[in-house]
């Protein structure tokens, strides 16, 4: 049972709206540059479903995605120095709540992820496939039992990180009280960040605020315009530097009044010209520098010298 408990802990580190992997009191201070890895959409099952043209029931095989996720873990484990954490920005699996292959997909993903170096905490973000396009308190509860809280904050080396449940912004019609609770919590967190004089504020969520331009039309891959505007303004006022997301299965991004929106392509199924990959994000005193790497490239070459040099700079 010991092994099971340990395995469970790796996936349930987001508890009580924070991340148990980092002891807050040690992490309020800036200690110099560091980096983390962002991945998105391993989405076990989508590649087959997309190929057969049945995204509702065609997800009965995911061998391909298992291999890609293994490659991602392998690449991350080789990195030196080690990243502070590995964040997965949603759509962990393809099977929607209540569908046939969901449990198996979930178990297979856990089997791959538990091989991540013990010193690199896993940070999970909920996506639409994890809790449903219109989530309910039941689907969110189920997600929390498997992967930890659906929204929370944590500190690493003087930087404040917020993980949000973007489905509550996309369609909260079946759980309006949960959206309201996240809104209240978020306002409190941004007030805390202001008091603590943090170095940077960085947000993770599954659905991008926008893909290229802050005023682009609303579609499946971004948030509705009025919702988006309100969040962007709130983030801008609070001094949030960057929002990292997935969902689009392509790399994209843009800026809004100094707030950078970074959209990373998938570990799993690609819907554009990008390759299966991960994003390396370096946090320095002044800025946040990031680069997307193909899994093969990161596995064979590691992080490029100019990024390593930034990490080596002592303030």
């Amino acid at each position: 049972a010991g092994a099971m408990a340990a395995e469970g802990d790796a996936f349930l580190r987001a508890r009580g709206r924070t991340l148990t992997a980092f002891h807050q009191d040690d992490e309020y201070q800036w200690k110099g540059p560091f980096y983390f890895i962002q991945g998105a959409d391993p989405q076990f099952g989508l590649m087959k479903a997309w190929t057969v043209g049945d995204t509702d029931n065609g997800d009965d095989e995911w061998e391909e995605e298992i291999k890609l996720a293994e490659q991602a873990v392998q690449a991350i484990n080789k990195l030196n120095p080690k990243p502070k954490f590995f964040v997965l920005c949603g759509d962990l699996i393809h099977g929607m709540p209540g569908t046939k292959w969901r449990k198996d997909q979930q178990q297979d993903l856990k089997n791959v992820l538990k091989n991540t170096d013990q010193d690199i905490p896993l940070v999970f973000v909920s996506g639409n496939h994890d809790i449903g396009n219109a989530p309910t308190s039941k689907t969110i509860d189920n997600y929390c039992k498997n992967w930890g809280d659906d929204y929370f904050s944590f500190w690493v080396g003087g930087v404040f990180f917020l993980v949000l449940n973007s489905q509550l912004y996309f369609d909260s019609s079946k759980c309006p009280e949960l959206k309201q609770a996240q809104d209240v919590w978020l306002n409190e967190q941004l007030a805390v960040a202001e008091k603590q004089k943090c170095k940077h504020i960085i947000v993770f969520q599954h659905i991008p605020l926008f893909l290229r331009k802050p005023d682009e039309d609303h579609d499946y891959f971004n948030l509705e315009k009025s919702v988006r505007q309100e969040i962007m303004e709130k983030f801008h006022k609070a001094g949030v530097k960057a929002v990292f997301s997935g969902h689009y299965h392509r790399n994209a991004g843009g800026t809004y009044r100094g707030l950078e929106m970074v959209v990373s392509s998938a570990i799993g199924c690609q819907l554009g010209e990008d390759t299966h990959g991960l994003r390396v994000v370096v946090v320095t005193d002044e800025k946040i520098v990031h680069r997307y790497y193909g899994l093969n490239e990161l596995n064979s070459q590691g992080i490029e010298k100019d990024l390593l040099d930034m990490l080596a700079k002592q303030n």
Side-chain angles (χ1 to χ4, degrees), residues 103-146:
K103 280 209 166 69
D104 294 344
Q105 290 167 357
Q106 229 158 241
Q107 195 47 57
D108 284 352
L109 178 59
K110 286 182 174 183
N111 290 342
V112 173
L113 292 176
K114 67 173 189 242
N115 296 317
T116 311
D117 185 318
Q118 297 293 298
D119 296 330
I120 304 169
L122 296 165
V123 180
F124 298 106
V125 181
S126 63
N128 56 308
H129 283 264
D130 306 310
I131 58 177
N133 285 322
T136 65
S137 59
K138 193 176 160 197
T139 63
I140 291 175
D141 194 44
N142 179 275
Y143 170 87
C144 295
K145 284 194 173 86
N146 275 289

Side-chain angles (χ1 to χ4, degrees), residues 122-248:
L122 296 165
V123 180
F124 298 106
V125 181
S126 63
N128 56 308
H129 283 264
D130 306 310
I131 58 177
N133 285 322
T136 65
S137 59
K138 193 176 160 197
T139 63
I140 291 175
D141 194 44
N142 179 275
Y143 170 87
C144 295
K145 284 194 173 86
N146 275 289
W147 306 104
D149 288 349
D150 59 323
Y151 60 89
F152 54 96
S153 65
F154 60 100
W155 288 81
V156 176
V159 177
F160 190 47
F161 292 95
L162 290 157
V163 170
L164 299 178
N165 178 345
S166 55
Q167 284 324 112
L168 296 174
Y169 296 124
F170 189 80
D171 182 354
S172 63
S173 58
K174 293 180 178 162
C175 56
E177 72 292 349
L178 295 181
K179 177 192 186 287
Q180 202 185 347
Q182 177 173 255
D183 288 345
V184 168
W185 173 87
L186 177 58
N187 291 338
E188 286 167 359
Q189 294 299 305
L190 293 172
V192 166
E194 192 178 16
K195 269 220 285 291
Q196 285 288 347
K197 301 273 181 279
C198 56
K199 190 61 86 171
H200 305 290
I201 306 173
I202 295 174
V203 172
F204 300 119
Q205 60 186 56
H206 178 61
I207 300 182
L209 296 167
F210 58 89
L211 299 172
R212 290 194 171 80
K213 294 194 189 78
D215 59 351
E216 70 198 15
D217 288 338
H218 166 55
D219 68 18
Y220 175 77
F221 288 113
N222 59 20
L223 290 178
E224 200 269 312
K225 269 180 147 173
S226 62
V227 175
R228 176 198 316 168
Q229 187 56 43
E230 195 183 324
I231 299 171
M232 291 190 307
E233 239 342 91
K234 180 183 286 192
F235 285 174
H236 164 69
K237 283 202 179 85
V240 175
K241 284 272 173 63
V243 176
F244 288 88
S245 70
H247 190 51
Y248 192 45

